Amino acid sequence: MSEQSKDYKARAQELVSRMTLEEKALLLSGNGPWTTHKIERLGIPSIFMTDGPHGLRKALGQSVAESVPATCFPTASALASTWNTDLIRQVGAALARECQAHDVQILLGPGINMKRSPLGGRNFEYFSEDPVLAGQLAAAYIQGAQGEGVGTSLKHFAVNNQEFERMVSSSNLDERTLREIYLPAFEIAVTQAQPWSVMCAYNKVNGVYASENHLLLEDILRDEWGFQGFVVSDWGAVHDRAKGVMAGLNLEMPGSGDVNRKKIIAAVNAGQLPVSRLDDVVTSLLSVILKAAESRRTGARFDVEQHHALARQVAGEGIILLKNDDNILPLDAGRKKKLALIGAFAKDPRYQGAGSSQVNPTRISNAYDELLAIMGGSERFGYASGYDAEGVTTAQLIEEAREQARNADVAIIFAGLPDSHESEGFDRSSLDIPEGHHRLIDAVSQVQPNTVVVLMNGSAITMPWVGRVKAILEGWLTGQAGGGAIADILTGRVNPSAKLAETFPLRVEDTPTSTEFPGLNQQAHYGEGVFIGYRYYDKKNITPLFPFGFGLSYTTFAYSELTLSAASIKDTERLTVQLKVRNEGKVAGKEIVQLYVREDKPAVSRPDKELKAFTKVALEPGEEKTVSFTLNSRDFAYYNAALHRWSVNPGRFDILVGGSSRSLPLRKHVLVETAQVPVPVLTRHSTVKEFKNHPKGKAFYSRLASVIMGEAPGEQSTVKRSPQEEKARKKAEMSTLVFVNDMPAYKLIAFSQGKFTEQMLNDILAQVQ
Ligand code: BGC
């Protein structure tokens, strides 16, 4: 803890000691939709918080329908595709400058829930299906924003992965899945960047509302991870207010008037809520209020042009080149080709999602105008709208599009998801883009072999036409400057350098949650366990449409010289991994180097490999750089649910490095030794096989196994047998052993008909403890 935060805490404690019960209860519930209460008597200021995450949405009046003009950056799917922590830090800082200019103290974001299903309605607002990638990007975003004196609210904690019944549904999952998949992104962001606030989710986790979940809010968030800020409810996520206070929920938003305030007071008066507990919860909220109020930069302004330019740069780094046959891209501006721009999105782009994150942009660029501005010569540009706002096409619209395509050298079709297909508040019912967009792509690609598709959508989609077009750009929801960014990529002014932060499956039936998502009757069962995203497709050997980590460039990169700092390490030691990456082409580019770890013989069913580190490297043509990563024990560990902690299973681990989860040319292994091998406790219910695999139990294995062969324990048969009889005996022994290995030890007493006694078993158990 810094000196300064200690100071805020001390000041908050002193103020709390002077507050009445009513004032404490008042502070714990908002004053309207966006602010905390001011308590003038004590000089406690009010602070303002608002959405987030990819732009400032500060309502102009009481309604959120109108908000201040703010830079609309690309949404989280696009931000994550940059895999560029430095750039995301800059975005965080820019967002915070806009907050300062509008006197906002806390920005409600980033959103980092895992993309459990590609159908998740808010996937466009979340980073990834991988916790390490989401966590590191979130940490950078938070550091960027908070460095400018504006707090963040990391959301939605936790296991909030669907919109269906989002206020009541229970996300039911096992402890290991919670720890390995749904918590680590939060853990990384909290431990590395200390957000001033964490927003608890609407849903329940294993039957307990996130807003009343002591395990999440207190035991894990504060005690284990050392969170210093306050927990705010998602807007309307409070149920039993006193339970929430007991569990560690500080602030209720929006305010509920005196409804919940009275409940807090009543609970204290009834002796159900200790004052000391109430004081703790008020103190951590007040510490941040004091810090936030003092971090205000009165009169701050932001540079609209500069932020628009940053939004364009980020969008350019987030656009993924998924296909580029015959190097049709970049378009050669000098060769004066005729272009047919097809699809209404070319002029009227879909650049952000709907719901609480909707920003009123300072301006909007579209690809049509921007291409024209870069390439010049309006006579070379044809245009056809192709579909209406809902994505519906007609024979006439198709004919117009074909006509334009026939008369051009290259057709560029803009397609994707209209607003009505993807929003906060509901999940998608299909992975498909509208039928009208599919038909348009089919029709145009029939008459124009040089067809390029530019996509605008917030989450994974299917592409039945993938083989019929030459190039595909996944533009995502590119933010207000997306038009310029698309033009930059199409013309080669920017070399694509983004990669998928989520898998694109071939069909919805292939997805890990296809039989479960989104649940029913307020219950969502996470039956797929730790196997979401690439962890699932790898394990099931399913070929996706485009794998996690994939993305092309206008140049190519070569990987070489993987070295590990040691051939074997103790799990208390670090491993340094080095390699070289070289730009083999003629243009400068950036490569995202990804490191995955695979355990050779895991103790539990583990993913085939997991992302543990990544970096983005800029390389001039012909340039080579050395990349270095450091791994620690957590990078090899799994969550041992029996012991309720992370464990490293000693043995061999493969280190895999490359440019996509399905293209990892560099591979070496390391042996990891553990000082403390977790030893299971043997009981009368342990199987005979478990005795065999136990460091102390193995000494008794042959004795236990022989019981079932009809021999007294320890007795050796002296019967003389012919070779044939001996062979038959061996065979019988083998199948009996298979049988006995899975038998609980106490069963041997009955099976041996008393030769093996209760006393003998107790003696063995006493010796193996
Ligand atoms: C959303 C949050 C948002 C809040 C305030 C809720 O409905 O789930 O993400 O920050 O509203 O707008």
Side-chain angles (χ1 to χ4, degrees), residues 54-55 70-75 98 311 351-352 359-362 478-481:
H54 55 266
T71 311
C72 179
F73 287 93
T75 80
E98 301 201 12
Y351 60 95
Q352 66 172 331
V359 175
N360 172 19
T362 58
T478 46
Q480 67 178 50

Side-chain angles (χ1 to χ4, degrees), residues 33-34 50-53 57 64 108-109 122 125-126 153 155-156 160 163 166-167 199 202 233-236 355-357 424:
W34 311 112
T50 194
D51 294 291
R57 186 191 65 150
V64 285
L108 303 176
R122 282 183 98 168
E125 270 189 83
Y126 296 142
S153 193
K155 64 192 188 182
H156 307 90
N160 178 202
E163 291 301 280
R166 68 174 175 161
M167 286 207 175
M199 188 189 294
Y202 282 127
S233 70
D234 197 346
W235 268 230
S356 59
S357 66
E424 177 180 342

Side-chain angles (χ1 to χ4, degrees), residues 743-764:
M743 188 177 273
Y746 78 89
K747 277 265 164 224
L748 296 174
I749 298 165
F751 267 91
S752 69
Q753 296 179 14
K755 280 192 187 170
F756 183 67
T757 64
E758 194 76 49
Q759 185 56 46
M760 289 172 178
L761 178 58
N762 286 340
D763 287 348
I764 292 176

Side-chain angles (χ1 to χ4, degrees), residues 574-589:
R574 286 163 184 267
L575 180 75
T576 305
V577 179
Q578 283 200 341
L579 61 120
K580 289 193 170 149
V581 57
R582 202 176 116 83
N583 181 348
E584 293 200 300
K586 295 196 173 66
V587 287

Side-chain angles (χ1 to χ4, degrees), residues 21-225:
L21 175 57
E22 284 71 18
E23 284 167 340
K24 290 174 192 170
L26 183 73
L27 201 66
L28 292 188
S29 185
N31 180 14
W34 311 112
T35 53
T36 59
H37 279 283
K38 184 188 236 176
I39 302 179
E40 274 177 40
R41 183 182 79 84
L42 298 167
I44 295 175
S46 148
I47 59 166
F48 196 101
M49 59 200 98
T50 194
D51 294 291
H54 55 266
L56 178 64
R57 186 191 65 150
K58 186 178 183 189
L60 274 171
Q62 280 308 306
S63 147
V64 285
E66 279 185 290
S67 55
V68 297
T71 311
C72 179
F73 287 93
T75 80
S77 323
L79 294 178
S81 300
T82 68
W83 296 56
N84 186 337
T85 47
D86 290 340
L87 201 54
I88 303 302
R89 194 171 285 113
Q90 289 177 43
V91 172
L95 289 167
R97 284 194 293 273
E98 301 201 12
C99 287
Q100 288 287 11
H102 288 285
D103 198 18
V104 168
Q105 284 70 54
I106 293 186
L107 187 67
L108 303 176
I112 60 167
N113 295 93
M114 290 291 98
K115 303 192 192 198
R116 176 178 172 236
S117 163
L119 295 175
R122 282 183 98 168
N123 281 10
F124 71 90
E125 270 189 83
Y126 296 142
F127 286 131
S128 180
E129 65 190 26
D130 182 85
V132 169
L133 179 55
Q136 293 197 15
L137 295 176
Y141 176 114
I142 295 166
Q143 285 159 354
Q146 295 188 174
E148 295 288 328
V150 172
T152 53
S153 193
L154 185 65
K155 64 192 188 182
H156 307 90
F157 189 59
V159 210
N160 178 202
N161 312 98
Q162 65 188 54
E163 291 301 280
F164 179 69
E165 296 186 339
R166 68 174 175 161
M167 286 207 175
V168 286
S169 183
S170 177
S171 302
N172 302 325
L173 72 177
D174 62 83
E175 189 181 349
R176 186 179 151 223
T177 302
L178 176 71
R179 292 295 194 149
E180 289 191 16
I181 302 294
Y182 294 97
L183 293 187
F186 288 97
E187 181 180 2
I188 294 168
V190 168
T191 53
Q192 290 184 9
Q194 274 294 347
W196 293 5
S197 161
V198 164
M199 188 189 294
C200 73
Y202 282 127
N203 52 282
K204 297 173 188 166
V205 178
N206 291 329
V208 182
Y209 276 113
S211 61
E212 293 165 14
N213 205 307
H214 195 276
L215 172 71
L216 289 177
L217 304 187
E218 203 66 50
D219 302 345
I220 295 178
L221 183 62
R222 287 190 192 278
D223 295 350
E224 264 185 49
W225 301 345

Side-chain angles (χ1 to χ4, degrees), residues 326 328 409 411 444-452 468-471:
D326 306 334
I328 184 172
D409 298 303
V444 169
S445 60
Q446 274 167 18
V447 298
Q448 176 50 267
N450 293 324
T451 294
V452 173
R468 295 198 286 279
V469 300
K470 282 220 169 132

Side-chain angles (χ1 to χ4, degrees), residues 730-749:
K730 280 258 167 339
K731 207 168 154 190
E733 192 177 81
M734 205 177 76
S735 43
T736 313
L737 270 185
V738 172
F739 179 70
V740 77
N741 273 340
D742 281 337
M743 188 177 273
Y746 78 89
K747 277 265 164 224
L748 296 174
I749 298 165

